[in-house]
Coordinates of all heavy atoms in Angstrom, one line a residue:
M1 N -10.1 -65.9 -17.8 CA -11.2 -66.7 -17.6 C -11.4 -67.1 -16.1 O -12.5 -67.4 -15.7 CB -11.1 -68.0 -18.5 CG -12.3 -68.8 -18.7 SD -13.6 -67.8 -19.5 CE -14.8 -69.0 -19.6
C2 N -10.2 -67.2 -15.4 CA -10.3 -67.6 -14.0 C -11.1 -66.5 -13.2 O -11.8 -66.8 -12.3 CB -9.0 -67.9 -13.4 SG -7.8 -66.6 -13.6
L3 N -10.9 -65.3 -13.7 CA -11.7 -64.2 -13.0 C -13.2 -64.4 -13.2 O -14.0 -64.3 -12.2 CB -11.3 -62.8 -13.6 CG -12.1 -61.6 -13.1 CD1 -11.9 -61.4 -11.6 CD2 -11.6 -60.3 -13.8
I4 N -13.6 -64.7 -14.4 CA -15.0 -64.9 -14.7 C -15.6 -66.1 -13.9 O -16.6 -66.0 -13.3 CB -15.2 -65.1 -16.2 CG1 -14.9 -63.8 -16.9 CG2 -16.7 -65.5 -16.5 CD1 -14.8 -64.0 -18.4
L5 N -14.8 -67.2 -13.8 CA -15.3 -68.3 -13.1 C -15.3 -68.1 -11.6 O -16.3 -68.5 -10.9 CB -14.3 -69.5 -13.3 CG -14.4 -70.1 -14.7 CD1 -13.3 -71.2 -14.9 CD2 -15.7 -70.7 -15.0
T6 N -14.4 -67.4 -11.0 CA -14.4 -67.1 -9.6 C -15.5 -66.1 -9.2 O -16.1 -66.2 -8.2 CB -13.0 -66.6 -9.1 OG1 -12.6 -65.5 -9.8 CG2 -12.0 -67.7 -9.1
I7 N -15.8 -65.1 -10.1 CA -16.9 -64.2 -9.9 C -18.2 -65.0 -9.9 O -19.1 -64.7 -9.0 CB -16.9 -63.0 -10.9 CG1 -15.7 -62.1 -10.6 CG2 -18.2 -62.3 -10.8 CD1 -15.6 -61.0 -11.6
C8 N -18.4 -65.9 -10.8 CA -19.6 -66.7 -10.8 C -19.8 -67.5 -9.6 O -20.9 -67.6 -9.0 CB -19.6 -67.6 -12.1 SG -19.8 -66.7 -13.6
A9 N -18.7 -68.1 -9.1 CA -18.7 -68.9 -7.9 C -19.0 -68.0 -6.7 O -19.8 -68.4 -5.8 CB -17.4 -69.7 -7.7
A10 N -18.4 -66.8 -6.6 CA -18.6 -65.9 -5.5 C -20.0 -65.4 -5.5 O -20.7 -65.3 -4.4 CB -17.7 -64.7 -5.7
L11 N -20.6 -65.2 -6.7 CA -22.0 -64.7 -6.7 C -23.0 -65.9 -6.3 O -24.0 -65.6 -5.6 CB -22.4 -64.3 -8.1 CG -21.8 -62.9 -8.6 CD1 -22.1 -62.7 -10.0 CD2 -22.3 -61.8 -7.7
A12 N -22.6 -67.1 -6.7 CA -23.5 -68.2 -6.3 C -23.4 -68.4 -4.7 O -24.5 -68.6 -4.1 CB -23.0 -69.5 -7.0
F13 N -22.2 -68.4 -4.1 CA -22.1 -68.5 -2.7 C -22.7 -67.3 -2.0 O -23.2 -67.4 -0.9 CB -20.7 -68.8 -2.3 CG -20.3 -70.2 -2.4 CD1 -19.6 -70.7 -3.4 CD2 -20.7 -71.1 -1.4 CE1 -19.2 -72.0 -3.5 CE2 -20.4 -72.5 -1.5 CZ -19.7 -72.9 -2.6
S14 N -22.6 -66.1 -2.6 CA -23.2 -64.9 -2.0 C -24.7 -65.1 -1.9 O -25.4 -64.8 -0.9 CB -22.9 -63.7 -2.7 OG -21.5 -63.4 -2.6
G15 N -25.3 -65.6 -3.0 CA -26.7 -65.8 -3.1 C -27.2 -66.9 -2.0 O -28.2 -66.7 -1.3
A16 N -26.4 -67.9 -1.9 CA -26.7 -68.9 -0.8 C -26.6 -68.3 0.6 O -27.4 -68.6 1.4 CB -25.8 -70.1 -1.0
Y17 N -25.6 -67.5 0.8 CA -25.4 -66.9 2.1 C -26.5 -66.0 2.4 O -27.1 -66.1 3.5 CB -24.0 -66.1 2.1 CG -23.8 -65.3 3.4 CD1 -23.6 -65.9 4.6 CD2 -24.0 -63.9 3.3 CE1 -23.4 -65.2 5.7 CE2 -23.8 -63.2 4.5 CZ -23.5 -63.8 5.7 OH -23.4 -63.1 6.8
F18 N -26.9 -65.1 1.5 CA -28.0 -64.2 1.8 C -29.3 -64.9 1.9 O -30.2 -64.4 2.7 CB -28.0 -63.0 0.8 CG -26.9 -62.1 1.0 CD1 -25.9 -61.9 0.0 CD2 -26.8 -61.3 2.2 CE1 -24.8 -61.0 0.2 CE2 -25.7 -60.5 2.4 CZ -24.7 -60.3 1.4
Y19 N -29.5 -65.9 1.2 CA -30.7 -66.7 1.4 C -30.8 -67.4 2.8 O -31.8 -67.4 3.4 CB -30.8 -67.8 0.3 CG -32.0 -68.7 0.4 CD1 -33.3 -68.3 0.0 CD2 -31.9 -70.0 1.0 CE1 -34.4 -69.1 0.2 CE2 -33.0 -70.8 1.1 CZ -34.2 -70.4 0.7 OH -35.3 -71.2 0.9
Q20 N -29.6 -67.9 3.2 CA -29.6 -68.5 4.5 C -29.7 -67.4 5.6 O -30.4 -67.7 6.6 CB -28.3 -69.2 4.7 CG -28.2 -70.5 4.0 CD -26.8 -71.2 4.3 OE1 -25.9 -70.6 4.8 NE2 -26.8 -72.5 3.9
K21 N -29.1 -66.3 5.4 CA -29.2 -65.2 6.3 C -30.7 -64.7 6.5 O -31.1 -64.4 7.6 CB -28.3 -64.0 5.9 CG -28.2 -63.0 7.0 CD -27.1 -61.9 6.5 CE -27.0 -60.9 7.6 NZ -26.0 -59.9 7.3
K22 N -31.4 -64.7 5.4 CA -32.8 -64.3 5.4 C -33.6 -65.3 6.2 O -34.5 -64.9 7.0 CB -33.4 -64.3 4.0 CG -34.8 -63.9 3.9 CD -35.2 -63.9 2.4 CE -36.7 -63.7 2.3 NZ -37.2 -63.7 0.9
N23 N -33.3 -66.6 6.2 CA -34.0 -67.6 6.9 C -33.3 -67.9 8.3 O -33.6 -68.9 8.9 CB -34.0 -68.9 6.1 CG -34.9 -68.7 4.9 OD1 -35.8 -67.9 4.8 ND2 -34.6 -69.4 3.8
S24 N -32.4 -67.1 8.7 CA -31.6 -67.1 10.0 C -31.0 -68.5 10.2 O -31.1 -69.0 11.3 CB -32.5 -66.7 11.1 OG -33.6 -67.6 11.3
A25 N -30.4 -69.1 9.2 CA -29.7 -70.3 9.3 C -28.4 -70.2 8.6 O -28.1 -71.0 7.7 CB -30.6 -71.5 8.8
V26 N -27.5 -69.3 9.0 CA -26.3 -69.1 8.3 C -25.2 -70.2 8.6 O -25.0 -70.5 9.7 CB -25.7 -67.7 8.7 CG1 -24.4 -67.5 8.0 CG2 -26.7 -66.6 8.3
S27 N -24.7 -70.7 7.5 CA -23.6 -71.7 7.6 C -22.3 -71.1 7.5 O -22.0 -70.2 6.6 CB -23.8 -72.7 6.5 OG -22.7 -73.6 6.5
K28 N -21.4 -71.4 8.4 CA -20.0 -70.8 8.4 C -19.3 -71.3 7.2 O -18.4 -70.6 6.7 CB -19.3 -71.2 9.7 CG -19.8 -70.5 10.9 CD -19.0 -70.9 12.1 CE -19.6 -70.2 13.4 NZ -18.8 -70.6 14.6
S29 N -19.5 -72.5 6.7 CA -18.8 -73.0 5.5 C -19.2 -72.2 4.3 O -18.4 -71.9 3.4 CB -19.1 -74.5 5.4 OG -20.5 -74.8 5.3
V30 N -20.5 -71.8 4.2 CA -20.9 -71.0 3.0 C -20.3 -69.7 3.1 O -19.8 -69.1 2.1 CB -22.5 -70.9 3.0 CG1 -22.9 -69.9 1.9 CG2 -23.1 -72.3 2.7
F31 N -20.2 -69.1 4.3 CA -19.6 -67.8 4.5 C -18.2 -67.8 4.1 O -17.6 -66.9 3.4 CB -19.9 -67.3 5.9 CG -19.3 -65.9 6.2 CD1 -19.9 -64.8 5.6 CD2 -18.2 -65.7 7.0 CE1 -19.4 -63.5 5.8 CE2 -17.7 -64.5 7.2 CZ -18.3 -63.4 6.7
A32 N -17.5 -68.8 4.6 CA -16.0 -68.9 4.3 C -15.8 -69.1 2.8 O -14.8 -68.5 2.2 CB -15.4 -70.1 5.1
A33 N -16.6 -70.0 2.1 CA -16.4 -70.2 0.7 C -16.7 -68.9 -0.1 O -16.0 -68.5 -1.0 CB -17.3 -71.3 0.2
M34 N -17.7 -68.1 0.4 CA -18.0 -66.9 -0.3 C -16.8 -65.9 -0.2 O -16.5 -65.3 -1.2 CB -19.3 -66.2 0.4 CG -19.6 -64.9 -0.2 SD -21.0 -64.1 0.7 CE -20.1 -63.6 2.3
L35 N -16.3 -65.8 1.0 CA -15.1 -64.9 1.2 C -13.9 -65.3 0.4 O -13.2 -64.5 -0.2 CB -14.8 -64.8 2.7 CG -15.7 -64.0 3.6 CD1 -15.2 -64.0 5.0 CD2 -15.9 -62.6 3.0
M36 N -13.7 -66.7 0.3 CA -12.5 -67.2 -0.5 C -12.7 -66.8 -2.0 O -11.7 -66.3 -2.6 CB -12.4 -68.7 -0.4 CG -11.9 -69.2 0.9 SD -11.5 -70.9 1.0 CE -13.1 -71.6 0.5
F37 N -13.9 -67.0 -2.5 CA -14.1 -66.7 -3.9 C -14.1 -65.2 -4.2 O -13.6 -64.8 -5.2 CB -15.4 -67.3 -4.4 CG -15.3 -68.8 -4.6 CD1 -16.1 -69.7 -4.0 CD2 -14.3 -69.3 -5.5 CE1 -16.0 -71.1 -4.2 CE2 -14.2 -70.7 -5.7 CZ -15.0 -71.6 -5.0
W38 N -14.6 -64.4 -3.3 CA -14.5 -62.9 -3.5 C -13.0 -62.5 -3.4 O -12.6 -61.6 -4.1 CB -15.4 -62.2 -2.5 CG -16.8 -62.1 -2.9 CD1 -17.9 -62.6 -2.3 CD2 -17.3 -61.5 -4.2 NE1 -19.0 -62.4 -3.0 CE2 -18.7 -61.7 -4.1 CE3 -16.7 -60.9 -5.3 CZ2 -19.5 -61.3 -5.2 CZ3 -17.6 -60.5 -6.3 CH2 -18.9 -60.7 -6.3
A39 N -12.3 -63.1 -2.5 CA -10.8 -62.7 -2.4 C -10.1 -63.1 -3.7 O -9.3 -62.3 -4.2 CB -10.2 -63.4 -1.2
A40 N -10.4 -64.3 -4.2 CA -9.7 -64.7 -5.5 C -10.2 -63.8 -6.6 O -9.3 -63.4 -7.5 CB -10.1 -66.1 -5.8
S41 N -11.4 -63.4 -6.6 CA -11.9 -62.4 -7.7 C -11.2 -61.1 -7.6 O -10.8 -60.5 -8.6 CB -13.4 -62.2 -7.6 OG -14.1 -63.4 -7.7
L42 N -11.0 -60.6 -6.4 CA -10.3 -59.3 -6.2 C -8.8 -59.5 -6.6 O -8.3 -58.6 -7.3 CB -10.4 -58.9 -4.7 CG -9.6 -57.7 -4.3 CD1 -10.2 -56.5 -5.0 CD2 -9.6 -57.5 -2.8
M43 N -8.2 -60.6 -6.3 CA -6.8 -60.8 -6.7 C -6.7 -60.8 -8.2 O -5.8 -60.1 -8.8 CB -6.3 -62.1 -6.1 CG -4.9 -62.5 -6.5 SD -4.4 -64.1 -6.0 CE -5.4 -65.2 -7.1
W44 N -7.6 -61.5 -8.9 CA -7.5 -61.6 -10.4 C -7.9 -60.3 -11.0 O -7.5 -60.0 -12.1 CB -8.2 -62.8 -10.9 CG -7.3 -64.0 -11.0 CD1 -6.1 -64.1 -11.6 CD2 -7.5 -65.2 -10.3 NE1 -5.6 -65.3 -11.3 CE2 -6.4 -66.0 -10.6 CE3 -8.6 -65.7 -9.6 CZ2 -6.3 -67.3 -10.1 CZ3 -8.5 -67.0 -9.1 CH2 -7.4 -67.8 -9.4
S45 N -8.7 -59.5 -10.3 CA -9.1 -58.2 -10.9 C -7.8 -57.3 -10.8 O -7.6 -56.5 -11.8 CB -10.2 -57.5 -10.0 OG -11.4 -58.3 -10.1
M46 N -7.1 -57.4 -9.8 CA -5.8 -56.6 -9.7 C -4.8 -57.1 -10.8 O -4.1 -56.3 -11.4 CB -5.2 -56.6 -8.3 CG -6.0 -56.0 -7.2 SD -6.3 -54.2 -7.6 CE -8.0 -54.2 -8.0
D47 N -4.8 -58.4 -11.0 CA -4.0 -58.9 -12.1 C -4.4 -58.4 -13.4 O -3.6 -58.1 -14.3 CB -4.0 -60.4 -12.0 CG -3.0 -61.1 -13.0 OD1 -1.9 -60.7 -13.1 OD2 -3.5 -62.0 -13.8
G48 N -5.7 -58.3 -13.6 CA -6.2 -57.7 -14.9 C -5.9 -56.3 -15.1 O -5.5 -55.8 -16.2
V49 N -5.9 -55.5 -14.0 CA -5.5 -54.1 -14.1 C -4.0 -54.0 -14.4 O -3.6 -53.2 -15.2 CB -5.8 -53.4 -12.7 CG1 -5.2 -52.0 -12.7 CG2 -7.3 -53.3 -12.5
A50 N -3.2 -54.8 -13.8 CA -1.8 -54.8 -14.1 C -1.6 -55.2 -15.6 O -0.7 -54.7 -16.2 CB -1.0 -55.8 -13.2
S51 N -2.3 -56.1 -16.1 CA -2.2 -56.5 -17.5 C -2.6 -55.4 -18.4 O -1.9 -55.1 -19.5 CB -3.1 -57.7 -17.8 OG -2.7 -58.9 -17.1
V52 N -3.6 -54.6 -18.1 CA -4.0 -53.5 -18.9 C -3.0 -52.4 -18.9 O -2.7 -51.8 -19.9 CB -5.4 -52.9 -18.4 CG1 -5.7 -51.6 -19.0 CG2 -6.5 -53.9 -18.6
L53 N -2.3 -52.2 -17.7 CA -1.3 -51.2 -17.6 C 0.0 -51.6 -18.5 O 0.7 -50.7 -18.9 CB -0.8 -51.0 -16.2 CG -1.9 -50.3 -15.3 CD1 -1.4 -50.3 -13.8 CD2 -2.2 -48.9 -15.8
E54 N 0.1 -52.9 -18.7 CA 1.2 -53.4 -19.5 C 0.8 -53.4 -21.0 O 1.6 -53.8 -21.9 CB 1.7 -54.8 -19.1 CG 2.3 -54.8 -17.7 CD 2.6 -56.2 -17.2 OE1 2.3 -57.2 -17.9 OE2 3.2 -56.3 -16.2
G55 N -0.4 -53.1 -21.3 CA -0.8 -53.0 -22.7 C -1.6 -54.2 -23.2 O -1.8 -54.4 -24.4
E56 N -1.9 -55.2 -22.3 CA -2.6 -56.4 -22.7 C -4.1 -56.2 -22.4 O -4.5 -55.2 -21.9 CB -2.0 -57.6 -21.9 CG -0.6 -57.8 -22.2 CD 0.0 -58.9 -21.3 OE1 -0.8 -59.5 -20.5 OE2 1.2 -59.1 -21.3
G57 N -4.9 -57.2 -22.6 CA -6.3 -57.2 -22.3 C -6.6 -57.5 -20.9 O -5.7 -58.1 -20.2
F58 N -7.8 -57.1 -20.4 CA -8.1 -57.3 -19.0 C -8.4 -58.8 -18.7 O -8.0 -59.3 -17.7 CB -9.4 -56.4 -18.6 CG -9.8 -56.5 -17.2 CD1 -9.0 -55.8 -16.2 CD2 -10.8 -57.3 -16.8 CE1 -9.4 -55.9 -14.9 CE2 -11.2 -57.4 -15.5 CZ -10.5 -56.7 -14.5
F59 N -9.2 -59.4 -19.6 CA -9.5 -60.8 -19.5 C -8.5 -61.7 -20.3 O -8.2 -61.4 -21.4 CB -10.9 -61.1 -19.9 CG -12.0 -60.5 -19.1 CD1 -12.7 -59.4 -19.5 CD2 -12.2 -61.0 -17.8 CE1 -13.7 -58.9 -18.8 CE2 -13.2 -60.4 -17.0 CZ -13.9 -59.3 -17.5
D60 N -8.1 -62.8 -19.7 CA -7.3 -63.7 -20.4 C -8.2 -64.9 -20.7 O -8.5 -65.7 -19.8 CB -6.1 -64.2 -19.5 CG -5.2 -65.1 -20.2 OD1 -5.3 -65.4 -21.4 OD2 -4.3 -65.7 -19.5
I61 N -8.5 -65.0 -22.0 CA -9.5 -66.1 -22.4 C -8.7 -67.2 -23.1 O -8.8 -67.4 -24.3 CB -10.5 -65.5 -23.3 CG1 -11.2 -64.3 -22.8 CG2 -11.6 -66.6 -23.6 CD1 -12.1 -64.5 -21.6
S62 N -7.8 -67.8 -22.4 CA -6.9 -68.9 -23.0 C -7.3 -70.2 -22.3 O -8.0 -70.2 -21.3 CB -5.5 -68.6 -22.7 OG -5.2 -68.6 -21.3
V63 N -6.9 -71.3 -22.9 CA -7.2 -72.6 -22.4 C -6.5 -72.8 -21.0 O -7.1 -73.3 -20.1 CB -6.8 -73.7 -23.4 CG1 -7.0 -75.1 -22.8 CG2 -7.6 -73.6 -24.7
E64 N -5.3 -72.3 -20.9 CA -4.6 -72.5 -19.6 C -5.3 -71.7 -18.5 O -5.4 -72.2 -17.4 CB -3.1 -72.0 -19.8 CG -2.3 -72.8 -20.7 CD -2.4 -72.4 -22.2 OE1 -3.0 -71.4 -22.5 OE2 -2.0 -73.2 -23.0
D65 N -5.8 -70.5 -18.8 CA -6.4 -69.7 -17.8 C -7.8 -70.4 -17.4 O -8.2 -70.3 -16.3 CB -6.6 -68.3 -18.3 CG -6.8 -67.3 -17.2 OD1 -6.0 -67.3 -16.3 OD2 -7.8 -66.6 -17.2
T66 N -8.4 -71.0 -18.4 CA -9.7 -71.7 -18.1 C -9.4 -72.9 -17.2 O -10.2 -73.1 -16.3 CB -10.4 -72.1 -19.4 OG1 -10.5 -71.0 -20.2 CG2 -11.7 -72.8 -19.1
I67 N -8.4 -73.6 -17.5 CA -8.0 -74.8 -16.6 C -7.7 -74.3 -15.2 O -8.1 -74.9 -14.2 CB -6.9 -75.6 -17.3 CG1 -7.3 -76.2 -18.6 CG2 -6.3 -76.6 -16.3 CD1 -6.2 -76.9 -19.4
L68 N -6.9 -73.2 -15.1 CA -6.6 -72.7 -13.8 C -7.9 -72.3 -13.1 O -8.0 -72.6 -11.9 CB -5.7 -71.5 -13.9 CG -5.3 -70.7 -12.7 CD1 -4.6 -71.6 -11.7 CD2 -4.5 -69.5 -13.0
G69 N -8.8 -71.6 -13.7 CA -10.1 -71.2 -13.1 C -10.9 -72.4 -12.6 O -11.4 -72.4 -11.5
A70 N -10.9 -73.5 -13.4 CA -11.6 -74.7 -13.0 C -10.9 -75.4 -11.8 O -11.6 -75.9 -10.9 CB -11.6 -75.7 -14.2
I71 N -9.6 -75.3 -11.8 CA -8.9 -75.9 -10.6 C -9.2 -75.1 -9.4 O -9.4 -75.7 -8.3 CB -7.4 -76.0 -10.9 CG1 -7.1 -77.0 -12.0 CG2 -6.6 -76.2 -9.6 CD1 -5.6 -77.0 -12.5
I72 N -9.2 -73.8 -9.5 CA -9.5 -72.9 -8.3 C -10.9 -73.1 -7.8 O -11.2 -73.3 -6.6 CB -9.3 -71.4 -8.7 CG1 -7.8 -71.2 -9.0 CG2 -9.8 -70.5 -7.6 CD1 -6.9 -71.6 -7.8
V73 N -11.9 -73.2 -8.8 CA -13.3 -73.4 -8.3 C -13.4 -74.8 -7.7 O -14.1 -75.0 -6.7 CB -14.2 -73.3 -9.5 CG1 -15.6 -73.7 -9.2 CG2 -14.3 -71.8 -10.0
A74 N -12.8 -75.8 -8.3 CA -12.8 -77.2 -7.7 C -12.2 -77.2 -6.3 O -12.7 -77.9 -5.4 CB -12.2 -78.2 -8.6
S75 N -11.1 -76.5 -6.2 CA -10.4 -76.4 -4.9 C -11.3 -75.7 -3.8 O -11.4 -76.2 -2.7 CB -9.1 -75.7 -5.0 OG -8.2 -76.4 -5.8
G76 N -11.9 -74.7 -4.2 CA -12.9 -74.0 -3.3 C -14.0 -74.8 -3.0 O -14.5 -74.8 -1.8
M77 N -14.6 -75.6 -3.9 CA -15.7 -76.5 -3.6 C -15.2 -77.6 -2.6 O -16.0 -78.0 -1.8 CB -16.2 -77.1 -4.9 CG -16.9 -76.1 -5.8 SD -18.3 -75.2 -5.1 CE -19.5 -76.5 -5.0
F78 N -14.0 -78.1 -2.8 CA -13.4 -79.1 -1.9 C -13.3 -78.5 -0.5 O -13.7 -79.2 0.5 CB -12.1 -79.6 -2.4 CG -11.4 -80.5 -1.4 CD1 -11.8 -81.8 -1.3 CD2 -10.3 -80.1 -0.6 CE1 -11.3 -82.7 -0.4 CE2 -9.7 -81.0 0.3 CZ -10.2 -82.3 0.4
V79 N -12.8 -77.3 -0.3 CA -12.7 -76.6 1.0 C -14.1 -76.5 1.6 O -14.3 -76.7 2.8 CB -11.9 -75.3 0.9 CG1 -12.0 -74.5 2.2 CG2 -10.5 -75.6 0.5
F80 N -15.0 -76.0 0.8 CA -16.4 -75.9 1.2 C -17.0 -77.2 1.8 O -17.6 -77.3 2.8 CB -17.3 -75.4 0.1 CG -18.8 -75.5 0.4 CD1 -19.3 -74.7 1.4 CD2 -19.6 -76.4 -0.3 CE1 -20.7 -74.7 1.6 CE2 -20.9 -76.5 0.0 CZ -21.5 -75.7 0.9
A81 N -16.7 -78.3 1.0 CA -17.2 -79.6 1.4 C -16.5 -80.1 2.7 O -17.2 -80.6 3.6 CB -17.0 -80.6 0.3
L82 N -15.2 -79.8 2.8 CA -14.5 -80.2 4.0 C -15.0 -79.4 5.3 O -15.2 -79.9 6.3 CB -13.0 -79.9 3.8 CG -12.1 -80.3 5.0 CD1 -12.1 -81.8 5.1 CD2 -10.7 -79.9 4.7
L83 N -15.2 -78.1 5.1 CA -15.7 -77.3 6.2 C -17.2 -77.7 6.6 O -17.5 -77.7 7.8 CB -15.7 -75.8 5.8 CG -14.3 -75.1 5.7 CD1 -14.4 -73.7 5.2 CD2 -13.6 -75.2 7.0
S84 N -18.0 -78.0 5.6 CA -19.3 -78.5 5.9 C -19.3 -79.8 6.6 O -20.1 -80.0 7.6 CB -20.1 -78.7 4.6 OG -20.3 -77.5 3.9
F85 N -18.4 -80.7 6.3 CA -18.3 -82.0 7.0 C -17.8 -81.7 8.4 O -18.4 -82.3 9.3 CB -17.3 -82.8 6.2 CG -17.0 -84.2 6.9 CD1 -17.9 -85.2 6.8 CD2 -15.8 -84.4 7.6 CE1 -17.7 -86.4 7.4 CE2 -15.6 -85.6 8.2 CZ -16.5 -86.6 8.1
I86 N -16.9 -80.9 8.6 CA -16.4 -80.6 10.0 C -17.5 -79.9 10.8 O -17.7 -80.3 12.0 CB -15.2 -79.7 9.9 CG1 -14.0 -80.5 9.4 CG2 -14.8 -79.1 11.3 CD1 -12.8 -79.6 9.1
Q87 N -18.3 -79.0 10.2 CA -19.4 -78.4 10.9 C -20.5 -79.4 11.3 O -21.0 -79.3 12.4 CB -20.0 -77.3 10.0 CG -21.0 -76.4 10.7 CD -21.5 -75.3 9.8 OE1 -21.0 -75.1 8.7 NE2 -22.4 -74.5 10.3
K88 N -20.8 -80.3 10.4 CA -21.8 -81.3 10.7 C -21.3 -82.3 11.8 O -22.1 -82.7 12.7 CB -22.2 -82.1 9.5 CG -23.0 -81.3 8.6 CD -23.5 -82.1 7.4 CE -24.4 -81.2 6.5 NZ -25.1 -81.9 5.6
K89 N -20.0 -82.6 11.8 CA -19.5 -83.4 12.9 C -19.5 -82.8 14.2 O -19.8 -83.4 15.2 CB -18.0 -83.8 12.6 CG -17.9 -84.9 11.5 CD -18.4 -86.2 12.0 CE -18.1 -87.3 11.0 NZ -18.6 -88.6 11.5
R90 N -19.3 -81.5 14.3 CA -19.3 -80.7 15.5 C -20.7 -80.6 16.1 O -20.9 -80.6 17.3 CB -18.7 -79.3 15.4 CG -17.2 -79.4 15.3 CD -16.6 -78.0 15.2 NE -15.1 -78.1 15.1 CZ -14.4 -77.1 14.9 NH1 -14.9 -75.9 14.7 NH2 -13.1 -77.2 14.8
T91 N -21.7 -80.4 15.2 CA -23.1 -80.2 15.6 C -23.7 -81.6 16.0 O -24.7 -81.6 16.8 CB -23.9 -79.5 14.6 OG1 -23.9 -80.3 13.4 CG2 -23.5 -78.1 14.3
A92 N -23.1 -82.7 15.5 CA -23.7 -84.0 15.9 C -23.3 -84.4 17.3 O -24.0 -85.3 17.9 CB -23.2 -85.0 14.9
K93 N -22.2 -83.8 17.8 CA -21.8 -84.3 19.2 C -22.6 -83.7 20.3 O -23.3 -82.8 20.4 CB -20.3 -83.8 19.4 CG -19.4 -84.6 18.6 CD -18.0 -84.2 18.9 CE -17.0 -85.0 18.1 NZ -15.6 -84.7 18.3

């Protein structure tokens, strides 16, 4: 489930990034969050492949995995908010 949640977050930030890029106002915090979520998705994809090779399912749809996914998405959103705050402070000077 954490793979599904991180892919959804990566797609959302990718959409925001490409929308900003189209309007020539790219935010470094959006780009960084997009890369973080795509990297997490890639990591859990490799974990899913390893699970399949061991005879298990690709997706882990358990409560613990859902909680882990929610924690990862919340942590990524916190990092995004922190980077946005730092970026706004630098542009205000």
Side-chain angles (χ1 to χ4, degrees):
M1 193 67 176
C2 56
L3 173 61
I4 296 169
L5 291 174
T6 55
I7 287 175
C8 290
L11 288 173
F13 276 100
S14 294
Y17 172 74
F18 287 116
Y19 177 77
Q20 287 181 347
K21 190 173 181 180
K22 180 181 172 185
N23 295 331
S24 67
V26 177
S27 170
K28 291 181 182 179
S29 57
V30 171
F31 182 70
M34 178 187 71
L35 288 181
M36 285 189 304
F37 284 121
W38 278 120
S41 300
L42 178 64
M43 177 187 69
W44 273 304
S45 295
M46 294 300 107
D47 184 49
V49 169
S51 295
V52 168
L53 291 176
E54 293 175 356
E56 300 172 7
F58 184 76
F59 292 110
D60 183 9
I61 311 290
S62 64
V63 174
E64 293 84 13
D65 202 52
T66 304
I67 292 171
L68 175 63
I71 290 170
I72 295 303
V73 170
S75 299
M77 296 298 289
F78 175 75
V79 170
F80 167 70
L82 184 65
L83 291 173
S84 294
F85 178 74
I86 291 170
Q87 186 177 359
K88 286 187 182 194
K89 284 290 188 181
R90 286 185 179 170
T91 59
K93 288 184 178 181

